[in-house]
Amino acid sequence: MSPIKEDYLKIIFELGGTRVKVSNKQIAISLNIAAGSVTEMVNKLLRDGLAKHEPYSGVTLTAKGARLAKLLIWKHRLWEVFLVRKLGFKLSDVDQEADVLEHVTSPKLLKALDKWLGYPRHCPHGGVIPGKDGHYSRESHVVLNDVKDGHTVAVDRFIDNRDLLTYLGDIKLDIGDVVHVVRHAPFDGPVIVHNLTDHTKLTIGYKAAHYIFVRPVKK
């Protein structure tokens, strides 16, 4: 399988494609590519039996596609843990390196790496690491942009996108931060939030707010 096709499987999985329908627009924005290219690759995934598509609704992974995606995610996120924890890489720099390493990781190396790292269950940007049995705790698929004004949520994970992670690093939004949504600016404007963890006010771009996943705050 080509690295490009693997990247599509990963991003569909990361966007919730085992449980919800993922649009071509979501995939295009996440991978920073043209919508036409997404349509072409999605059609290839359909022909290979790796995905299912519902017109005007979106794409989901088949059981076969989900199995392959979980394996790829396992490799990718383990290397991200290694790069951040052991080599001190910045979060925004690990995705490209992990992409290279995952494609040359044998099953033997993967298991040894997992054991050496202590079987981590989350990567540095909050994503769940499926593990060798393929089971994983459910990830949040609620994005910040969909949280109503006046609600308070905790930041759960970020999409694995270098530009996004660089941007979030610049505005100092971290995994685990608790934010209160003040308002959504009209006409696809930014989301204004109070970061209750750092006691700061943040203006988060419309596009970025679609790739910050959040969870309810436990009372």
Side-chain angles (χ1 to χ4, degrees):
M1 182 181 297
S2 70
I4 295 176
K5 189 176 290 186
E6 291 179 351
D7 287 342
Y8 272 79
L9 287 176
K10 286 188 300 179
I11 201 63
I12 293 171
F13 180 92
E14 195 167 356
L15 291 169
T18 59
R19 299 172 56 202
V20 299
K21 296 178 179 65
V22 177
S23 70
N24 284 14
K25 180 180 179 180
Q26 286 178 289
I27 298 170
I29 292 174
S30 298
L31 295 177
N32 291 324
I33 54 177
S37 299
V38 173
T39 300
E40 182 180 349
M41 182 55 72
V42 166
N43 286 335
K44 291 181 180 179
L45 296 178
L46 297 177
R47 289 196 297 269
D48 292 344
L50 300 173
K52 297 178 290 185
H53 184 262
E54 186 174 319
Y56 309 108
S57 188
V59 62
T60 56
L61 296 176
T62 62
K64 178 183 177 182
R67 283 195 301 272
L68 288 173
K70 288 175 186 178
L71 176 59
L72 294 167
I73 290 288
W74 184 20
K75 293 178 180 180
H76 188 89
R77 292 181 176 173
L78 274 184
W79 281 117
E80 288 183 327
V81 172
F82 171 80
L83 290 167
V84 170
R85 188 187 295 176
K86 302 299 182 181
L87 298 186
F89 272 61
K90 292 195 302 183
L91 185 56
S92 57
D93 293 336
V94 298
D95 180 53
Q96 188 173 5
E97 300 298 335
D99 255 343
V100 174
L101 291 165
E102 75 178 64
H103 295 308
V104 294
T105 303
S106 68
K108 183 177 180 179
L109 175 57
L110 180 63
K111 292 177 182 178
L113 180 65
D114 199 8
K115 181 179 179 180
W116 184 60
L117 290 172
Y119 304 104
R121 292 282 63 91
H122 291 85
C123 72
H125 56 86
V128 172
I129 300 175
K132 63 181 179 181
D133 57 6
H135 295 297
Y136 62 99
S137 57
R138 292 293 186 186
E139 293 180 314
S140 170
H141 298 300
V142 177
V143 298
L144 179 62
N145 195 71
D146 291 342
V147 178
K148 294 181 179 179
D149 293 352
H151 286 229
T152 300
V153 292
V155 177
D156 194 49
R157 65 185 179 96
F158 305 133
I159 283 291
D160 199 355
N161 176 286
R162 178 171 182 168
D163 291 340
L164 173 71
L165 295 174
T166 299
Y167 169 76
L168 296 176
D170 289 342
I171 66 172
K172 301 189 184 325
L173 184 68
D174 300 312
I175 300 296
D177 282 356
V178 176
V179 298
H180 178 77
V181 178
V182 178
R183 68 183 179 90
H184 292 67
F187 301 106
D188 294 344
V191 180
I192 314 302
V193 306
H194 278 143
N195 186 336
L196 302 180
T197 301
D198 293 341
H199 307 289
T200 56
K201 184 177 181 180
L202 300 177
T203 300
I204 300 175
Y206 176 80
K207 179 178 176 181
H210 280 81
Y211 299 103
I212 300 168
F213 293 90
V214 297
R215 54 180 168 77
V217 176
K218 293 182 180 179
K219 297 181 180 179

